[in-house]
Amino acid sequence: MVIPYRAEPHPLTGVTSGKLGIWIFLASEIMLFGSLFSSYVLLRVGTAAEYWPRGIEAGLNVPIGTMNTLILITSSVTMVMSWASLKMDKFDAFKRYLLATIVLGVVFLVVKAFEYGAKFDHHIYPAVGWPEATDPSIFYGLYFTLTGLHALHIFLGVLVNLWLLVYGAELWKTERVRYEGRIEISGLYWHFVDLVWIFLFPVLYLL
Amino acid sequence: MSEAHAEMGFLRKYVFSTDHKIIGIQYGITALVFLFFGFCLMMMMRWQLAYPGEPIPLIGGLLGETRTDRGAMLPNFYNQLGAMHGTIMVFMGIVPLAVGAFGNYFVPLQIGAPDMAFPRLNMASYQAFVIGGVIMLVSFFLPGGAASSGWTSYAPLAVIATTGQTFWLFGMMFLIASSLLGGINFIVTIIHLRAEGLTFFRLPFFVWSQLVTAFLLVLAFPALQAASVMQLMDRLAGTSFFMPSGLVVGGEQIAAVGGGSPLLWQHLFWFLAHPEVYVLILPGMGIVAEVIAVNTRKPLWGYRPMVYSLLFLGFLSFGVWAHHMYMTGMGTTMSTFFQITTMIISIPSVIILTCLVISLWGASIRFPVPMLFALAFLPMFGIGGLTGLPLGLAAPDAFLHDTYYVIGHFHYVVAPGTIFALFAGIYHWWPKITGRQMNEALGKIHFWFSFLFMNGIFMPMMFEGMAGVSRRLFDPTIYVTGEAAHGLTIMTSWSAWGLALAQVPFIINFFWSMRKQEMAEDNPWQATTLEWATPTPPPHGNFPETVVAYSGPYEYSVPGAERDFSPQFIKQEA
Ligand code: HEM
Ligand SMILES: [Cu+2]
């Protein structure tokens, strides 16, 4: 007996299995980043206010951070456009938009790498306190951990999109609905990762 | 397609399989091996506790200079054994067996589905489990040995521990990833792939228990994932999320950049680990409910209240974690909150247990081996749960915390509780999996001796704990309390070795019945749920024809029916 793939939405939930799966996955991601944000709050509350820098004081570059935020927001838009183009049967437009999403994701990562590099040049590492000698906050530890984990998520999203663009497109010819579903699922993940950044940026750079 | 299946090589068919039944068996065998291994670690610890400082018989000389001194155990090795025993039993033994094996094999069958919703994801989650397990095992051979800071890996101890702890963290990340993938798969499968006619309230209780368990896995584990990332940063990148400033260890100040919080680790850990204890018990309850329904030939009493209790339990289990932390000075407001939630959460467990007991009332009970294990589960889980109540209140917990009483409490829930339920499941479903019956006589020997020795192990622990013996001691006799209770310690140790012997009939039965026992019919217990509608053993794709569910899961002894069971999959003449 052949196990059938179910591309149709289930009557009870109104979505396909893949989509239900990604929503549940995102719920667990919310718990992951939620735990990290809670840790941030707990650690910050436990530190005297004068020892916890605002991002600017600690040398984070707000204009660059803002630029990266805009890059990610744009990439979310192109992601939607690519899915919409696919739905409207414009395969070439779809490919262009998906490529744009990938490129924007890579640009984000490159900018992030330069930011890290600038910090390392100033001898700022996860294990450096602020202000350095006198006393202790683990601001940089949190900064590197949170942004690092987020960058890892972006990286994985880029890989998935790249795979969908290069190899997955075969599927479009044979099983259209299924391919559209995959793009939608990848898109949901991408929006979520952008959303995480929308929280990370003000918390780390501005507050 | 069908020819392609016939040609599948050994690797494709048994190692890289996407068939939920094969994956279930893979999980089952791997988990049983890990359980046995974890049990061996514990038997070594029991020697040191009963006869402190004496050379370990037989294997003492083989363990090497770093672990033993002239055959006698070194303290550091004892700590490794303790930490790894807990880790292996919980994360690599019980959960993979209860969820990975039983869930994988029987959830799709019981809901009438051809497979899990995401077969390849299923395979990936098994592989992640194996990788995590191998990382854990390899850590024993590192310089400094495996993790030695307890299965709870409390900071700051774990942060300054040897490389074994780093491996522990990496291993955990794989195990967590495996559980996440599995959890997602179960939820989607149960919601989307139920057979026609199988409404939610026609689901067997076992499926419900797996559904709630899957939600716990998906929503609780990420907290430990986050905590593991942070502890890794503390260990490898020099941050100090969990390290307070000014910490002095062995007379030397530990350099720490900022004022981190050891308590933060405890919060994150228990936010996972309390729901985790329900992950350990709920599938067991599910199996027991199935076995009891079949062998009482009666519908489960209070099926709906049981389901609602299950849902309530799952929900509330996210709000009780700090009852593991009463001794951390969290203040009366917090502690009052967690005492209240803890008392409330014991209610649904009691409802489920009560329903199962009342289900026995007035039944003409059959007593095959699985039923013996299921019946033993009831009082054993009862003892485990009741002994949790004093721990859930801060005042008695001040006395009992970190004593052997706590060990006794949760082992009563997990060992004679969950493990008995899992044995019940193995004996109950064996004919479906292998096509043969297990030997009854060997099974009965296995049951009675296991029952005896389980209590021989854990009952003395309760008394030791109340007498004030601390847990995690390398040599309890250095304290008056431990010296005074030493007789109980020795009794526990001998019971533990006895329990090992009691597994011999099971192991013989396991291999022998696979080839020698008589063939089983498709529905040997005359049960009603959908897994018995398949041929034995179930083929790839499970059901030769699409199944439809016509009735509830436990239609036994229906008045006016021809036989004393009316399967879900057979339409009854009105
Ligand atoms: C029925 C209601 C239950 C209550 C009120 C309860 C209460 C508690 C409390 C308060 C503790 C902390 C004791 C201490 O460290 O001082 C504890 C420990 C523990 N409980 Fe329960 N419990 C219950 C059921 C369960 C169940 C169903 C399991 C599942 C297997 C379980 C497993 C554990 C474990 C593993 C620990 C020890 C953790 C450690 O410190 O290593 N408990 N319980
Ligand atoms: Cu708990």
Side-chain angles (χ1 to χ4, degrees), chain B residues 151 270 277 323-324 342 388 391-392 397 401 409-410 413-414 471:
Chain B
W151 80 286
W270 287 114
V277 305
H323 66 205
H324 296 269
T342 304
L391 295 175
D397 189 50
H401 179 67
H409 150 66
F410 74 78
V413 186
V414 187
R471 66 194 278 202

Side-chain angles (χ1 to χ4, degrees), chain B residues 550-551 555 558-562 566 570-574:
Chain B
Y550 296 101
S551 55
E555 303 277 320
V558 178
E562 247 170 68
S566 320
I570 295 175
K571 192 166 187 176
Q572 305 299 318
E573 307 305 327

Side-chain angles (χ1 to χ4, degrees), chain B residues 90 151-152 154 269-270 273-274 276-281 285 323-327 342-343 345-347 349-350 381 384-393 397-398 400-403 406-407 409-411 413-414 418 471-472:
Chain B
V90 170
W151 80 286
T152 49
Y154 274 7
F269 181 84
W270 287 114
H274 187 85
E276 176 78 11
V277 305
Y278 287 101
V279 170
L280 296 172
I281 193 68
M285 286 179 174
H323 66 205
H324 296 269
M325 300 164 60
Y326 287 138
M327 297 305 113
T342 304
M343 290 305 113
I345 203 175
S346 56
I347 296 170
S349 320
V350 172
F381 174 71
L386 284 178
T387 51
L389 292 176
L391 295 175
L393 296 166
D397 189 50
L400 296 168
H401 179 67
D402 248 334
T403 67
V406 175
I407 313 287
H409 150 66
F410 74 78
H411 279 93
V413 186
V414 187
T418 303
R471 66 194 278 202
R472 293 188 179 162

Side-chain angles (χ1 to χ4, degrees), chain B residues 274-402:
Chain B
H274 187 85
E276 176 78 11
V277 305
Y278 287 101
V279 170
L280 296 172
I281 193 68
L282 296 184
M285 286 179 174
I287 295 173
V288 167
E290 296 303 299
V291 174
I292 284 186
V294 171
N295 289 299
T296 53
R297 317 306 293 160
K298 267 173 55 179
L300 277 186
W301 192 89
Y303 167 80
R304 269 182 192 244
M306 282 170 75
V307 170
Y308 291 129
S309 301
L310 202 59
L311 296 172
F312 183 65
L313 209 111
F315 182 72
L316 203 64
S317 71
F318 288 97
V320 298
W321 77 90
H323 66 205
H324 296 269
M325 300 164 60
Y326 287 138
M327 297 305 113
T328 58
M330 60 178 147
T332 45
T333 320
M334 281 261 279
S335 124
T336 307
F337 174 82
F338 284 104
Q339 292 181 65
I340 292 173
T341 51
T342 304
M343 290 305 113
I344 295 176
I345 203 175
S346 56
I347 296 170
S349 320
V350 172
I351 293 179
I352 295 178
L353 196 63
T354 311
C355 287
L356 289 174
V357 172
I358 296 179
S359 296
L360 306 175
W361 192 271
S364 49
I365 302 175
R366 303 190 305 206
F367 290 100
V369 180
M371 187 61 172
L372 295 178
F373 277 104
L375 287 177
F377 170 92
L378 302 177
M380 297 296 102
F381 174 71
I383 294 177
L386 284 178
T387 51
L389 292 176
L391 295 175
L393 296 166
D397 189 50
F399 178 64
L400 296 168
H401 179 67
D402 248 334

Side-chain angles (χ1 to χ4, degrees), chain A residues 3-163:
Chain A
I3 316 274
Y5 173 80
R6 297 171 125 251
E8 332 78 58
H10 189 273
L12 181 70
T13 53
V15 294
T16 60
S17 291
K19 213 158 146 191
L20 184 63
I22 196 76
W23 279 117
I24 296 165
F25 173 71
L26 292 183
S28 91
E29 290 277 283
I30 289 175
M31 295 305 287
L32 177 70
F33 283 99
S35 305
L36 290 165
F37 276 114
S38 316
S39 304
Y40 172 93
V41 171
L42 241 117
L43 289 169
R44 185 161 185 176
V45 167
T47 309
E50 70 261 35
Y51 289 133
W52 199 285
R54 295 174 60 213
I56 318 173
E57 293 171 295
L60 298 191
N61 194 327
V62 177
I64 290 195
T66 314
M67 185 179 89
N68 245 351
T69 310
L70 291 177
I71 290 176
L72 276 195
I73 293 177
T74 319
S75 79
S76 253
V77 175
T78 54
M79 187 80 224
V80 177
M81 300 289 277
S82 81
W83 177 70
S85 311
L86 194 65
K87 278 276 183 195
M88 291 185 302
D89 221 0
K90 295 181 190 152
F91 196 68
D92 285 331
F94 153 76
K95 280 208 291 204
R96 259 180 274 123
Y97 280 121
L98 192 59
L99 187 65
T101 312
I102 294 168
V103 170
L104 287 169
V106 172
V107 171
F108 174 90
L109 287 176
V110 171
V111 172
K112 201 74 227 156
F114 274 106
E115 269 191 281
Y116 276 12
K119 292 280 163 305
F120 296 154
D121 284 345
H122 290 91
H123 301 286
I124 291 176
Y125 302 104
V128 170
W130 187 91
E132 242 179 274
T134 37
D135 217 84
S137 102
I138 32 187
F139 176 80
Y140 292 117
L142 276 169
Y143 167 76
F144 280 107
T145 309
L146 289 173
T147 54
L149 202 65
H150 175 258
L152 189 68
H153 277 79
I154 294 274
F155 180 68
L156 292 179
V158 167
L159 282 190
V160 170
N161 277 342
L162 204 58
W163 181 81

Side-chain angles (χ1 to χ4, degrees), chain A residues 1-6 9-10 12-22 24-25 27-33 35-36 38-40 42-43 46-47 125-130 132 135-138 140-145 149 178 182, chain B residues 1-2 5 114-120 180-181 183-184 187-188 191-194 200 215 218-220 222-227 229-230 233 237-242 245 256-261 264 267-268 271 318 540-544:
Chain A
M1 178 177 167
V2 182
I3 316 274
Y5 173 80
R6 297 171 125 251
H10 189 273
L12 181 70
T13 53
V15 294
T16 60
S17 291
K19 213 158 146 191
L20 184 63
I22 196 76
I24 296 165
F25 173 71
S28 91
E29 290 277 283
I30 289 175
M31 295 305 287
L32 177 70
F33 283 99
S35 305
L36 290 165
S38 316
S39 304
Y40 172 93
L42 241 117
L43 289 169
T47 309
Y125 302 104
V128 170
W130 187 91
E132 242 179 274
D135 217 84
S137 102
I138 32 187
Y140 292 117
L142 276 169
Y143 167 76
F144 280 107
T145 309
L149 202 65
R178 198 170 168 188
R182 287 194 176 177
Chain B
M1 265 314 253
S2 49
H5 281 285
D115 205 318
M116 295 284 275
F118 308 113
R120 265 185 297 174
L180 282 180
L181 300 182
I184 294 169
I187 296 174
V188 177
I191 295 181
H192 272 182
L193 298 192
R194 279 165 297 122
F200 275 103
F215 270 105
V218 166
L219 297 178
L224 186 60
Q225 188 84 298
V229 170
M230 289 163 78
M233 289 295 284
T239 56
S240 56
F241 295 122
F242 303 127
S245 38
V257 279
S261 160
L264 177 58
H267 279 294
L268 292 172
F271 186 84
F318 288 97
H540 193 58
N542 298 344
F543 299 89

Side-chain angles (χ1 to χ4, degrees), chain B residues 106-176:
Chain B
F106 289 106
V107 164
L109 291 184
Q110 286 200 326
I111 64 174
D115 205 318
M116 295 284 275
F118 308 113
R120 265 185 297 174
L121 204 65
N122 205 5
M123 177 177 79
S125 75
Y126 173 70
Q127 288 164 349
F129 161 59
V130 171
I131 295 172
V134 168
I135 293 177
M136 291 287 188
L137 293 186
V138 165
S139 72
F140 274 102
F141 300 101
L142 295 168
S148 55
S149 315
W151 80 286
T152 49
S153 285
Y154 274 7
L157 203 54
V159 177
I160 56 177
T162 54
T163 322
Q165 182 63 26
T166 305
F167 273 59
W168 189 92
L169 291 166
F170 275 117
M172 274 318 287
M173 287 186 176
F174 278 98
L175 297 177
I176 294 171

